[in-house]
Amino acid sequence: MKRTAVLMSIGTRGDIEPFLTLGTFLLRKQWRVIGVFPAQFCEEAEEIGLEPVGFDPAFLEMLEGSEGKAV
């Protein structure tokens, strides 16, 4: 049975890239890797072999709104 890693990050490309690199390393070690990122990075994650799951745009809007900033 393969080990599974779930990598999750919210942010810009610079925040996501280290997770993509880690995911690539884990894939080479025969891990199953699920990447939970903003939707705009899912295609890139899939291209390198991760199983992408995109954050709902409403979630990201909430984070950038007054409620998210208050937290």
Side-chain angles (χ1 to χ4, degrees):
M1 177 184 347
K2 280 188 174 184
R3 294 181 181 185
T4 300
V6 178
L7 307 178
M8 182 180 295
S9 182
I10 300 171
T12 63
R13 182 175 189 82
D15 298 311
I16 305 301
E17 284 183 351
F19 290 91
L20 296 175
T21 301
L22 177 59
T24 300
F25 174 79
L26 292 170
L27 287 169
R28 289 182 187 153
K29 299 290 183 180
Q30 303 301 309
W31 283 56
R32 176 183 177 212
V33 183
I34 301 168
V36 184
F37 306 125
Q40 68 263 32
F41 300 108
C42 285
E43 185 176 329
E44 185 173 352
E46 188 171 34
E47 286 175 2
I48 64 171
L50 277 66
E51 297 176 37
V53 176
F55 283 109
D56 186 290
F59 175 75
L60 297 174
E61 289 172 13
M62 184 273 303
L63 284 179
E64 294 175 0
S66 59
E67 293 175 353
K69 291 179 181 178
V71 172

